Amino acid sequence: MVMEGGDIIKASNSLRGSLRAGSLRAGSSSIWRNSAVDVFSRSSRDEDDEEALKWAALEKLPTVARLRKGILTGSQGGANEVDVDNLGWQEKRTLLERLVKVAEEDNERFLLKLKNRIDRVGIDLPTIEVRYENLNIEAEAFVGTSALPSVLNFITSIFENFLIDMGVLSSRKKKLTILKDVSGIVKPGRMTLLLGPPSSGKTTLLLALAGKLSPDLKFSGSVTYNGHTMKEFVPQRTAAYISQHDLHLGEITVRETLAFSARCQGVGTRYDMLAELSRREKEANIKPDPDIDVFMKAVATEGQEASVITDYILKILGLDVCADTMVGNEMLRGISGGQRKRVTTGEMLVGPARALFMDEISTGLDSSTTFQIVNSLRQTVHILNGTAVISLLQPAPETYDLFDDIILLSDGVIVYQGPREHVVSFFESMGFRCPERKGVADFLQEVTSKKDQMQYWVRKDQPYRFITANEFAEAFQSFHVGMKLGDELGTPFDKTKSHPASLTTQKYGVGKWELLKACIAREFLLMKRNSFVYIFKCMQLTVMALITMTLFFRTEMHKDSVQGGRIYMGALFFGMTMVMFNGMSELSMTISKLPVFYKQRDLLFFPSWAYALPSWILKIPITFLEVSIWVFITYYVIGFDPNAER
């Protein structure tokens, strides 16, 4: 049976409803169940009496309550029952120290423990296979002075577009081809490196695969996830696109940036998977590792202001040393450029997306840090069967060796896509050899360049001629890797093998109220960090009110003449103008936050109203304070009516 988009929604909703209502039965159907698993073995882990008694009491709790409790060994020893919703800072630190003390050494061991717990009860993790076929992407743009963003060009383009629609004029825009008939497969459980010289179309390909292409581009071809088209699910939440541009609010810390992202993206299907996992372990009388159990329960609980997953990603990316440092911007000193790049990466890694499309994540990083980050991603992809396409510019040889597959782009066409082991032999078959002391990644970037290609030519008995990217692409179709890829593309993906939890069908990660609370908390935090602005505004208003008070002093005014009435009206108008325009100083702050708002809105962190409402609601008390300052200082001194009802 082929599962369409509606079936995915029904499966996801019915699963979540049944699990959270606590009506889990041994015979009920579940997307996490595997009928092939019949026999389970008892855990061989030694148990002390106290911990065993607490665990037995925990097992007797209802499902929902059991998923919110865990057994955590304290730093002084001794097992204690904890509520995973309210883990303290010290408890989180102790937990992570035991699980991943040194990221480079312990992360793989930790992930293997997670996978072992899931595998021994027969649960299949969701996987995503991304296919793109016959992709053609074109852009239309003005060239020369017509492309300048001037007022004259803006007005001219309005009339020009009107005449073009009427058929009177032809468009002066020039067509630019970005990608030309590219096809391929990105498989789960394999690390894919996207290479290519600048302006080869790498960013456009990643945007197309992540479903984030600009509507201004002309797009043809198809991109499918597990055989499903983009309209059958929400690609922005199923996949995570990590931009090469670092856009963050400078006034909040690294930890707060990642925590807000995790709070908005939610936990995905982690809660549903954990509920089924807990049910199966209870049936088979399997006792999990207490630390792994607490960690999985903590990362599956949504609505937390500070999640364990945030601290874990901070540790993996090497950001724990600057976790409580301001991100900073052009006007505020903060973290370094390399750390900011890692914050951009971590902002999406804290979410539940299982497909990662990363664009130039190594810019500003040294080779050692890049290797550590890519190695951590490799461990996650290999062990948890994730999907990852990472674009890097001139990676070091040791980083290059971490990848399984290579996609080489040049001039908008795919020159090679397949296993890393065969890429050098493909170019040798074309007459180009990588020197022994040359990095393969640098060789691949240069071998399609007209300026650098000749130095790699090894067929001395034949005269050299420049081989274009199109010729390489045609030759790849007859290479054994290209032929195998063509055969795989010719066989449609079997939708029945797609895990119903692989693709996300809900537009936002959490409910509307949770999104509003998260945005209110962040806006209030920003107001506290920018408190000097509001204090200065009140002081400025106080000074102006004192000056106004002396200017319109009541002893100089008379209420029985038209001239006096005009002065009163002037005082009223001036007061209203001062209070109204006192907020102009916040305009620059609002504009500076817009790029971050656009990025997070497009990533479906929150709807526009959830961002706009808090900034309006939280400013109301400040507005009342400013009006009160003005009225209390000027009202009676100017000589307005002292009666309360006035």
Side-chain angles (χ1 to χ4, degrees), residues 175-186:
K175 287 187 177 181
L176 303 172
T177 302
I178 303 174
L179 293 178
K180 294 179 284 188
D181 195 32
V182 299
S183 301
I185 301 176
V186 181

Side-chain angles (χ1 to χ4, degrees), residues 180 195-197 199-201 408-415 448-449 469-470:
K180 294 179 284 188
L195 285 174
S199 72
S200 59
L408 181 59
L409 265 179
S410 182
D411 295 334
V413 297
I414 289 184
V415 174
T448 57
S449 168
N470 288 322

Side-chain angles (χ1 to χ4, degrees), residues 299-312:
V299 300
T301 305
E302 65 181 25
Q304 299 179 86
E305 292 186 14
S307 173
V308 175
I309 193 69
T310 302
D311 297 320
Y312 169 68

Side-chain angles (χ1 to χ4, degrees), residues 529-538 585-586 589 626:
R529 296 279 162 80
N530 293 312
S531 57
F532 173 78
V533 175
Y534 302 102
I535 295 172
F536 182 81
K537 282 169 57 181
C538 291
S585 57
E586 289 187 62
M589 295 164 54
E626 292 175 355

Side-chain angles (χ1 to χ4, degrees), residues 212-230:
K212 286 180 54 61
L213 267 184
S214 169
D216 297 333
L217 298 175
K218 290 187 176 181
F219 171 86
S220 64
S222 66
V223 178
T224 59
Y225 284 46
N226 290 353
H228 296 273
T229 62
M230 293 283 190

